[in-house]
């Protein structure tokens, strides 16, 4: 009996380990492709709308080549904004066929000294390649170390931002810069630190932020006003 109990516990442990590994990334496709059906966010089950983690699949008979393609990534983005950067995403929202494939792409254009402000991707690691220009990049490790790991990249250089870590980019040249990034999620998400902390809806209490940043509440209100 003891041997049976031990075997059962080992089998259960293996199953739990497999489940954890399976759900550590975007769910894998169980067919050749699952082109996202933008007209269906779920399906009806006993007259109850069920939401999906991702998108429902379009009928394969209705799939076209355009579902697998995106045009215009060669076009520069408009960097005429306070940050001096422009982001052109290529996620499942732009290419429906990325649904369940666990990958996406983004082009970023930078004016001289333009920045991509500190942010993180909750669902993806990012690998960035410099196409043109010189770029300062960096990320911060988690508590308690909060170590800044940064480097200046040149054309052709590659850098990795681990999933969930705050990172940034800045053009340190006097010419425009361009990068291409790959992310291991069809929908990596982005949380900009300033927007999340000072631009939440409704606002985070000024008392909380004043204590967190050790500043006067009036300063917090001024910053919140900018968001």
């Amino acid at each position: 009996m003891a041997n049976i109990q031990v075997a059962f516990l080992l089998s259960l442990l293996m199953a739990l380990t497999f489940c954890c590994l399976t759900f550590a990334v975007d769910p894998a496709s169980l067919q050749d492709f699952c082109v996202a059906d933008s007209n269906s966010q779920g399906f009806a089950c006993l007259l109850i709308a069920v939401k999906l983690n991702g998108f429902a699949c379009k009928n394969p008979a209705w799939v076209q080549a355009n579902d697998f393609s995106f045009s215009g990534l060669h076009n520069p983005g408009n960097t005429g904004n306070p940050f001096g950067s422009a982001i052109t995403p290529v996620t499942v929202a732009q290419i429906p066929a990325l649904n369940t494939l666990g990958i996406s792409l983004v082009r970023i254009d930078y004016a001289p000294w333009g920045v991509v402000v500190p942010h993180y991707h909750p669902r993806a690691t990012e690998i960035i390649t410099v196409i043109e220009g010189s770029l300062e990049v960096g990320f911060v490790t988690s508590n308690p170390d909060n170590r800044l790991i940064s480097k200046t990249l040149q054309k052709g250089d590659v850098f990795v931002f681990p999933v969930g870590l705050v990172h940034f980019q800045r053009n340190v040249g006097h010419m425009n810069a361009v990068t291409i990034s790959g992310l291991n999620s069809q929908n990596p998400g982005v949380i900009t630190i300033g927007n999340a902390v000072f631009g939440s809806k409704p606002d985070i209490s000024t008392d909380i932020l004043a204590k967190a940043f050790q500043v006067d509440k009036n300063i917090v209100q001024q910053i919140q006003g900018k968001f």
Side-chain angles (χ1 to χ4, degrees), residues 36-58:
D37 184 353
S38 60
N39 296 320
S40 176
Q41 299 299 316
F43 61 93
C45 180
L46 300 179
L47 302 181
I48 299 175
V50 179
K51 291 292 185 181
L52 300 178
N53 183 24
F55 296 90
C57 302
K58 182 184 290 188

Side-chain angles (χ1 to χ4, degrees), residues 13-23:
L13 179 62
M14 291 176 64
L16 290 173
T17 302
F18 175 78
C19 289
C20 290
L21 292 173
T22 300
F23 292 104

